[in-house]
């Protein structure tokens, strides 16, 4: 059969992200979110797939469809990764699905993922982490890793930051 082509090239979404909130190893759950294309004139919605790093059709699982105006898709907890590593979002029109997609690698969060920060200098003053981010580059010139999140470690640190207006003091 001849290959069917869409009469209009559909624009791709601008970005995709997935936040895994299922702490079971090998299991994911959470929300896929994306930034829609600027022009959605010919777009009727978005198809979301979970697949291997190249998005091969035989390895992917259809996670669902979202109509234009909805820029997220909820993924049920306890969804097995089964070797899959990436989430793909394709645009769709009434005539079919675009072969082009935008993908994001999935970070499988597990309950044992943690980081302890200890003050190496002895002090009697209350202290806490005010700001912390993780980077692939040792110079921190790149964007922070998207799946690392930190909260203030103590009320004392938050209070010190708020009292003097300097976000770098605790």
């Amino acid at each position: 059969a001849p290959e069917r082509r869409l009469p209009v090239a559909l624009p791709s979404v601008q970005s995709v992200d997935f936040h895994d909130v299922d702490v079971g190893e090998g299991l994911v759950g959470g929300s896929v979110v994306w930034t829609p294309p600027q022009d959605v004139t010919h777009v009727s919605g978005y198809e979301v797939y979970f697949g291997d790093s190249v998005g091969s059709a035989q390895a992917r699982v259809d996670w669902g469809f979202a109509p234009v105006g909805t820029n997220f898709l909820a993924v049920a907890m306890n969804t097995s990764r089964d070797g899959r590593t990436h989430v793909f979002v394709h645009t769709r029109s009434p005539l079919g699905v675009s072969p082009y997609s935008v993908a994001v690698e999935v970070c499988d969060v597990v309950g044992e993922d943690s980081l302890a920060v200890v003050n190496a200098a002895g002090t009697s003053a209350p202290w806490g982490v005010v700001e912390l981010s993780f980077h692939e580059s040792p110079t921190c010139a790149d964007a922070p890793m998207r799946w690392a999140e930190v909260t203030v470690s103590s009320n004392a640190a938050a209070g010190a930051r708020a009292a003097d207006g300097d976000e770098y003091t605790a």
Side-chain angles (χ1 to χ4, degrees), residues 12-150:
S12 295
V13 298
Q14 296 178 50
S15 64
V16 177
D17 206 355
F18 175 71
H19 297 280
D20 179 24
V21 294
D22 187 321
V23 296
E25 188 170 355
L27 302 172
V28 295
S31 294
V32 179
V33 294
W34 57 88
T35 303
Q38 289 185 356
D39 181 5
V40 294
T41 303
H42 300 286
V43 177
S44 61
Y46 309 94
E47 294 286 345
V48 181
Y49 301 101
F50 191 33
D52 58 18
S53 62
V54 296
S56 57
Q58 63 272 20
R60 73 183 185 193
V61 172
D62 182 357
W63 268 0
F65 172 82
V68 166
T70 302
N71 302 324
F72 72 94
L73 184 79
V75 177
M77 300 295 278
N78 298 314
T79 298
S80 175
R81 283 188 62 178
D82 198 24
R84 294 175 189 88
T85 57
H86 287 71
V87 174
F88 297 85
V89 177
H90 294 255
T91 50
R92 171 182 268 292
S93 80
L95 300 172
V97 177
S98 171
Y100 305 107
S101 66
V102 176
V104 65
E105 185 173 7
V106 171
C107 175
D108 186 7
V109 177
V110 296
E112 291 76 31
D113 289 347
S114 62
L115 173 70
V117 178
V118 179
N119 187 357
T123 180
S124 59
W127 68 279
V129 175
V130 176
E131 181 179 340
L132 181 65
S133 60
F134 298 90
H135 298 261
E136 290 185 26
S137 163
T139 64
C140 299
D142 58 339
M145 292 180 179
R146 65 182 169 73
W147 49 74
E149 184 177 314
V150 179

